[in-house]
Amino acid sequence: MTATTMGLMQSLTVGQVAETYGVTVRTLHHYDQIGLLSPSERSHAGYRLYTAEDLERLQHVVVYRRLGFSLEEVAELLADVEARGGEGAAEHLRRQRAAVMSRLDEMRDLVRAIDNALERTMTKKPATSEDLKEIFGEGYNEEYQAEAEQRWGDTPQWQQSRERQSSMTAEDWARVKAETETLERDLAGAVAAGEPSDGDVAAALAERHRASIEQHYDCPHAFQVKLAEMYLADPRFTQHYEDLQPGLAQWLHDAIVANAARHGV
């Protein structure tokens, strides 16, 4: 709505202004109370009316409020316009335009950032066998994968692991590897430091071990105990932990069993 158009309009009531400008009657009353914008006329029935000049002022108020200025700052800006007359009004409009253009630049930057994040999300692809070989090196054994599927392929845990791993990216697997290596270093350090397998340190490590398993499938304490038993029953698991720290396989088994007992298993 231009100033010329407003000049041709009859004065408007509070309700008409609220509907036209998308502000609430309560807001207009507040502007009136603080002296920011007051209706200049009254109807024969005593209703307060906004003139074209009042509505032009309201337009400036609405623009500045949308740009994030406080009511106090808006009042100062409008006072400056009134003090400087036409020159102040022109400067006022240039300032508004500059502020709007700055906000547009910020919005464009935000849209670009969102687009880039969306692109990264959309291009995230599940890790391939080649990715896993590169990440785990000798630790990735396709024969062991086939053996594991043959032994546990009909279990709920295997199905869960397949579902969860199907969407894991190479980045996800690299994170899993790093977290596993950190856990194993801490386990070896606990044994080397003589920590008891039924102590608080051992319990915390057992919980971290369980959390690492739960990245792949649900692992309640009772099932974790079964895994611990396998670490001693399968020479390959035993050797893996013994290579990290002599006595670690048995200590980890005992720590898991003791921690499960803490949780009523």
Side-chain angles (χ1 to χ4, degrees):
M1 185 180 298
T2 65
T4 301
T5 302
M6 290 188 296
L8 296 175
M9 291 177 55
Q10 63 179 356
S11 298
L12 302 180
T13 64
V14 172
Q16 290 170 328
V17 172
E19 183 178 356
T20 302
Y21 286 86
V23 295
T24 65
V25 170
R26 181 178 181 181
T27 296
L28 291 172
H29 284 160
H30 180 62
Y31 289 171
D32 186 10
Q33 290 171 357
I34 65 176
L36 181 63
L37 176 67
S38 298
S40 299
E41 296 182 352
R42 285 184 180 273
S43 69
H44 293 298
Y47 293 111
R48 306 192 71 180
L49 300 174
Y50 289 84
T51 65
E53 291 76 13
D54 296 334
L55 297 177
E56 185 173 2
R57 183 180 177 88
L58 176 59
Q59 278 191 328
H60 293 312
V61 173
V62 170
V63 170
Y64 279 130
R65 290 294 286 159
R66 288 180 178 174
L67 289 171
F69 289 95
S70 68
L71 292 177
E72 291 78 9
E73 291 170 328
V74 173
E76 291 176 4
L77 290 167
L78 295 179
D80 181 61
V81 172
E82 294 171 355
R84 297 171 62 187
E87 178 185 351
E91 177 60 29
H92 178 71
L93 291 171
R94 282 193 289 269
R95 188 185 298 121
Q96 281 188 339
R97 185 182 187 282
V100 171
M101 294 303 296
S102 175
R103 184 62 57 86
L104 286 174
D105 289 340
E106 292 176 6
M107 291 298 102
R108 292 191 190 99
D109 291 341
L110 179 58
V111 169
R112 280 195 293 270
I114 292 173
D115 286 343
N116 291 336
L118 180 61
E119 182 178 356
R120 289 194 299 271
T121 300
M122 295 298 291
T123 56
K124 273 188 160 185
K125 298 179 180 179
T128 64
S129 296
E130 292 303 316
D131 292 330
L132 295 178
K133 288 178 183 177
E134 182 177 350
I135 294 169
F136 291 97
E138 295 181 358
Y140 180 77
N141 188 315
E142 290 184 339
E143 291 182 2
Y144 173 73
Q145 296 296 318
E147 177 189 341
E149 183 171 7
Q150 183 177 6
R151 292 178 63 180
W152 300 301
D154 59 348
T155 65
Q157 289 78 15
W158 180 264
Q159 296 303 317
Q160 279 188 333
S161 69
R162 300 302 292 173
E163 291 174 5
R164 295 181 187 180
Q165 293 171 6
S166 65
S167 61
M168 291 176 65
T169 65
E171 183 181 83
D172 293 329
W173 280 109
R175 173 183 52 77
V176 167
K177 180 188 179 186
E179 291 175 354
T180 300
E181 290 175 344
T182 299
L183 172 60
E184 290 184 339
R185 282 197 301 271
D186 292 344
L187 286 167
V191 174
E195 291 287 348
S197 60
D198 58 353
D200 291 341
V201 171
L205 287 169
E207 282 300 310
R208 284 174 56 189
H209 171 273
R210 193 169 68 87
S212 71
I213 300 298
E214 288 204 317
Q215 295 181 90
H216 306 284
Y217 54 82
D218 294 346
C219 184
H221 292 92
F223 191 84
Q224 188 187 19
V225 170
K226 293 181 180 179
L227 292 178
E229 292 169 352
M230 183 181 64
Y231 295 161
L232 297 180
D234 189 322
R236 291 169 297 183
F237 282 102
T238 303
Q239 190 60 52
H240 170 76
Y241 287 114
E242 291 302 300
D243 287 343
L244 294 172
Q245 174 69 35
L248 177 54
Q250 184 67 55
W251 187 91
L252 177 57
H253 167 275
D254 295 347
I256 290 172
V257 171
N259 182 61
R262 290 188 177 201
H263 291 83
V265 176

